């Protein structure tokens, strides 16, 4: 998939999917596939998104992204979305366009730079300065330009509208299985393995320590079954604790993962990808180290059962 450049609009008629696409959940994928389907009408498919989360920029709040910007970029430009057939991405800096009126945004960017002949977005899509534009205005502008607009109605799951907000809530509650179902992928992160206090090694359960990526949605503190991919490409069953390790007096948020079947030696400084599969138990403070060790061992049994269920 190629990054779309403005000069290409002179030779390409496009079908443009509009959205920030944080998480690329089920609803997002319906929007994207609607643009891809226009290939049959000779239109090149383009995703229009931003490099920053517009809602977070406008509110001044720190982002709580479902996936990191790096992972979102990779999914849009390389891996997951490639199989859906998107041909181009167009992702300008939101801050450079945030004061553009809704009308100018559509006419100059969507119709002008991208030469859109077909536009698709979600039912709650907003655009233009202060989010003044909505799907009704977009339809009016598209009609005036002779551009077809398709608005995707809400995707529902068990009566709930599938949204990034819902998925963030599920993650914060530890409802990882359902969050993953709505994402059509596994929530997690990639981060460098750092040195810890080596307590796990003393307990016979050596762990990898990782700092959660900045601005990533924080899961409920507790223990999760996980799938861990190391730089050698191998995937291991993991027992991941997200929290502050209260039993040993911890105070800083950390991800700590034990891979029971890994015996490969030192991997400090490498990057490990950790995907959370299911919630096992909340984080708790144990009375002593022996209780902690027994709990970790029991958690490993549960984690293996979960991975066997999901992968076999």
């Amino acid at each position: 998939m190629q990054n779309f450049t403005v000069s290409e609009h002179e030779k390409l008629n496009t079908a443009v999917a509009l959205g920030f696409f944080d998480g690329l959940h089920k609803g997002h994928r319906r929007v994207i596939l609607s643009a891809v389907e226009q290939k049959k009408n000779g239109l090149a498919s383009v995703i229009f998104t931003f490099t920053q989360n517009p809602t977070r920029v406008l509110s001044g709040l720190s982002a709580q992204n479902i996936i990191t910007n790096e992972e979102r970029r990779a999914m849009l430009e390389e891996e997951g979305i490639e199989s859906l057939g998107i041909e181009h991405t167009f992702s300008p800096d939101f801050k450079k366009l945030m004061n553009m009126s809704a009308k100018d945004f559509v006419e100059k960017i969507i119709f002008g730079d991208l030469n859109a002949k077909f536009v698709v977005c979600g039912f709650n899509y907003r655009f233009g300065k202060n989010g003044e534009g909505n799907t009704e205005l977009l339809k009016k502008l598209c009609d005036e330009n002779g551009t077809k607009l398709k608005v995707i109605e809400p995707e529902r799951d068990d009566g709930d509208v599938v949204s990034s907000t819902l998925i963030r809530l599920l993650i914060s509650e530890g409802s990882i299985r359902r969050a993953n179902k709505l994402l059509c992928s596994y929530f997690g992160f990639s981060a460098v393995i750092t040195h810890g206090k080596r307590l796990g090694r003393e307990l016979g359960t050596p762990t990898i320590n990782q700092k959660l990526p900045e601005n990533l949605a924080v899961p409920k503190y507790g223990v999760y079954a996980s799938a861990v991919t190391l730089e050698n490409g191998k995937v291991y069953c993991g027992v991941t604790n997200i929290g502050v390790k209260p039993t040993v007096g911890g105070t800083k948020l950390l991800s700590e993962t034990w891979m029971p079947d890994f015996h490969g030696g030192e991997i400090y400084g490498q990057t490990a990808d950790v995907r959370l599969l299911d919630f096992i138990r909340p984080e708790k403070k144990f009375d002593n180290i022996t209780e902690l060790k027994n709990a970790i061992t029991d958690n490993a049994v549960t984690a293996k059962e979960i991975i066997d269920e999901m992968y076999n």
Side-chain angles (χ1 to χ4, degrees):
M1 181 169 62
Q2 301 174 357
N3 288 324
F4 195 93
T5 58
V6 172
S7 62
E8 288 177 301
H9 84 274
E10 297 177 356
K11 58 184 178 181
L12 290 178
N13 293 327
T14 66
V16 179
L18 300 172
F20 180 62
F21 304 115
D22 178 23
L24 292 166
H25 59 61
K26 282 185 174 183
H28 293 156
R29 291 170 188 246
R30 283 180 59 198
V31 172
I32 290 166
L33 284 171
S34 292
V36 172
E37 289 172 356
Q38 292 303 308
K39 287 182 181 180
K40 64 186 178 184
N41 294 321
L43 302 182
S45 53
V46 178
I47 285 182
F48 178 95
T49 186
F50 287 110
T51 54
Q52 307 101 332
N53 186 325
T55 301
R56 299 292 169 172
V57 172
L58 293 172
S59 68
L61 298 174
S62 61
Q64 290 290 304
N65 295 326
I66 298 171
I67 57 179
T68 64
N69 283 334
E70 292 76 16
E71 183 178 350
R72 186 170 69 99
R73 188 180 305 114
M75 292 179 72
L76 286 172
E77 296 180 357
E78 299 170 12
E79 302 162 1
I81 299 305
E82 183 73 16
S83 62
L84 298 182
I86 280 288
E87 297 168 286
H88 306 274
T89 57
F90 189 67
S91 53
D93 185 330
F94 174 69
K95 293 181 180 179
K96 292 182 178 179
L97 299 181
M98 61 186 289
N99 291 317
M100 181 179 284
S101 72
K103 187 172 186 291
D104 282 349
F105 168 73
V106 174
E107 293 182 345
K108 294 181 180 180
I109 305 298
I110 306 305
F111 299 157
D113 291 344
L114 299 183
N115 199 32
K117 304 303 179 184
F118 177 93
V119 174
V120 57
C121 64
F123 68 99
N124 57 354
Y125 185 70
R126 309 289 301 197
F127 57 96
K129 185 177 181 179
N130 297 321
E132 64 186 7
N134 56 20
T135 54
E136 291 183 4
L137 176 60
L138 185 56
K139 185 177 190 312
K140 177 178 180 295
L141 295 172
C142 284
D143 287 345
E144 292 173 354
N145 192 64
T147 298
K148 183 176 180 181
L149 171 68
K150 182 174 183 179
V151 177
I152 301 297
E153 293 305 309
E155 176 82 17
R156 294 185 180 273
D157 180 81
D158 291 337
D160 295 321
V161 174
V162 177
S163 67
S164 298
T165 299
L166 172 61
I167 294 170
R168 288 190 195 93
L169 176 63
L170 293 173
I171 291 169
S172 72
E173 295 175 340
S175 301
I176 290 297
R177 277 213 183 204
R178 189 179 179 205
N180 290 341
K181 172 188 172 186
L182 303 186
L183 285 170
C184 303
S185 60
Y186 296 112
F187 172 79
F189 57 90
S190 292
V192 174
I193 300 169
T194 61
H195 288 276
K197 295 181 179 179
R198 295 181 178 265
L199 177 61
R201 189 180 299 274
E202 294 176 16
L203 294 175
T205 57
T207 59
I208 59 172
N209 295 278
Q210 296 168 288
K211 181 181 178 181
L212 270 65
E214 187 177 0
N215 296 329
L216 184 71
V218 178
K220 179 178 180 178
Y221 287 8
V223 178
Y224 296 81
S226 62
V228 184
T229 305
L230 300 181
E231 288 186 359
N232 61 11
K234 293 184 179 180
V235 181
Y236 296 89
C237 169
V239 181
T240 297
N241 184 84
I242 304 289
V244 297
K245 302 193 292 186
T247 303
V248 295
T251 57
K252 293 183 178 180
L253 175 61
L254 189 72
S255 172
E256 186 177 27
T257 301
W258 176 39
M259 297 175 288
D261 299 325
F262 175 73
H263 309 287
E266 299 287 352
I267 50 176
Y268 294 117
Q270 293 189 25
T271 296
D273 183 80
V274 177
R275 297 292 137 181
L276 305 185
L277 307 180
D278 204 358
F279 186 76
I280 296 177
R281 64 166 175 83
E283 185 175 54
K284 64 175 292 187
K285 183 175 182 179
F286 293 93
D287 292 333
N288 54 64
I289 297 299
T290 300
E291 285 189 7
L292 173 61
K293 178 180 180 179
N294 291 338
I296 294 173
T297 302
D298 290 342
N299 297 156
V301 173
T302 303
K304 288 182 178 181
E305 291 174 349
I306 291 169
I307 284 202
D308 285 343
E309 171 197 342
M310 298 182 75
Y311 284 85
N312 298 324

